[in-house]
Amino acid sequence: MRGFADLVWPPVSLLSYEPVTAHGQLSPADWSKIVFLDDPQCAACGFPFDWPPGEGAVCGPCAARAPAFDTARSAFVYTPESRRLVLSLKHGGRVDGPAAFGGWMRRAGRAMLAEADYLVPVPLHARRLRQRRFNQSLLLAQSVAKLSGVACDPHILMRRRATPSQGGQSARGRRRNVAGAFAVRDGAKARIRDARLILIDDVYTTGATLEACARALKRAGAARVDALTLARVVRTSDVLT
């Protein structure tokens, strides 16, 4: 059946739609266009450094204002090329990518995954979920869970109010937009007390959404909240202190 399906829907690269040997792959040319992230990075938010600055070094924004989450890591830089991967999942409805994305995210978050109790996908509001029909963060969390063995629990956090899109807003505007938008479900509070949690989302832009989620989780008693995303926006203004 799989062979027949491949004849009807032949596997193509996630980026360029060039033929590949299996679904969820990148062609060699497309692979070279993705900027994957690894050390050296900011010890807090994962901002990439050009040189090893020393253990525990943080970037300028994290030194000025420590994030609400403990650490954040991302699989690759959000560039014009990689943006197409994210949007094909988020808005295009193409769901053959999460298997590959989960592997990339597991590599990026290998240290935090080794100690985690639950993966917590950033929730959509019910209205947005009805429109989109799926939560891309949940698809990513399920893929990471399958590869890492860490349980995915989509019933811990809820989005208690619909918020306007974060697109086009300043960092301060994004923080205001999601302030108080997330809450821990009553039935999950006992489960996460003293637990080590990892938030899963598609893109780290300013970290406002992840911080709002982390605050809600820590208020409910979580011992540690890290964040793992597929992509990360990297601004040249974010510099080493």
Side-chain angles (χ1 to χ4, degrees):
M1 290 296 294
R2 185 178 294 111
F4 176 75
D6 285 349
L7 288 174
V8 179
W9 301 285
V12 293
S13 175
L14 292 168
L15 190 57
S16 66
Y17 294 88
E18 295 178 16
V20 291
T21 57
H23 292 284
Q25 290 185 346
L26 289 173
S27 69
D30 289 341
W31 185 269
S32 66
K33 298 175 184 177
I34 306 301
V35 182
F36 289 95
L37 289 166
D38 206 343
D39 292 332
Q41 302 176 74
C42 168
C45 76
F47 178 81
F49 293 145
D50 292 330
W51 68 92
E55 186 175 355
V58 297
C59 64
C62 287
R65 176 182 170 276
F69 50 75
D70 290 279
T71 63
R73 294 293 181 266
S74 304
F76 56 71
V77 178
Y78 193 68
T79 63
E81 290 79 15
S82 66
R83 177 177 181 270
R84 290 160 53 196
L85 288 177
V86 176
L87 294 185
S88 69
L89 169 65
K90 189 170 184 176
H91 299 301
R94 186 176 181 184
V95 295
D96 56 340
F101 299 159
W104 302 344
M105 292 172 72
R106 180 185 63 167
R107 177 180 176 276
R110 55 193 179 275
M112 62 177 71
L113 285 165
E115 304 294 332
D117 294 308
Y118 296 107
L119 303 179
V120 183
V122 172
L124 292 176
H125 188 267
R127 186 188 309 162
R128 184 72 57 84
L129 184 59
R130 284 194 298 269
Q131 294 171 344
R132 192 174 293 168
R133 294 171 294 140
F134 63 90
N135 179 358
Q136 73 279 359
S137 298
L138 175 57
L139 294 179
L140 293 171
Q142 289 171 331
S143 181
V144 175
K146 182 177 180 180
L147 295 170
S148 67
V150 180
C152 167
D153 192 333
H155 306 297
I156 290 175
L157 267 182
M158 65 177 179
R159 199 170 195 132
R160 56 187 179 186
R161 63 179 176 83
T163 55
S165 171
Q166 295 278 67
Q169 298 196 47
S170 66
R172 182 174 298 178
R174 285 172 177 259
R175 289 194 293 270
R176 285 198 302 264
N177 189 35
V178 294
F182 301 95
V184 174
R185 298 179 184 274
D186 289 338
K189 289 180 179 178
R191 188 161 72 254
I192 69 166
R193 186 166 298 280
D194 298 325
R196 297 160 298 183
L197 309 175
I198 300 180
L199 287 163
I200 303 291
D201 205 3
D202 52 357
V203 181
Y204 180 120
T205 304
T206 64
T209 297
L210 296 171
E211 288 200 74
C213 291
R215 288 191 186 95
L217 293 168
K218 288 190 173 183
R219 281 197 300 266
R224 182 181 179 90
V225 180
D226 297 301
L228 181 58
T229 68
L230 178 61
R232 190 197 199 285
V233 174
V234 174
R235 296 181 176 87
T236 55
S237 59
D238 296 339
V239 294
L240 174 67
T241 57

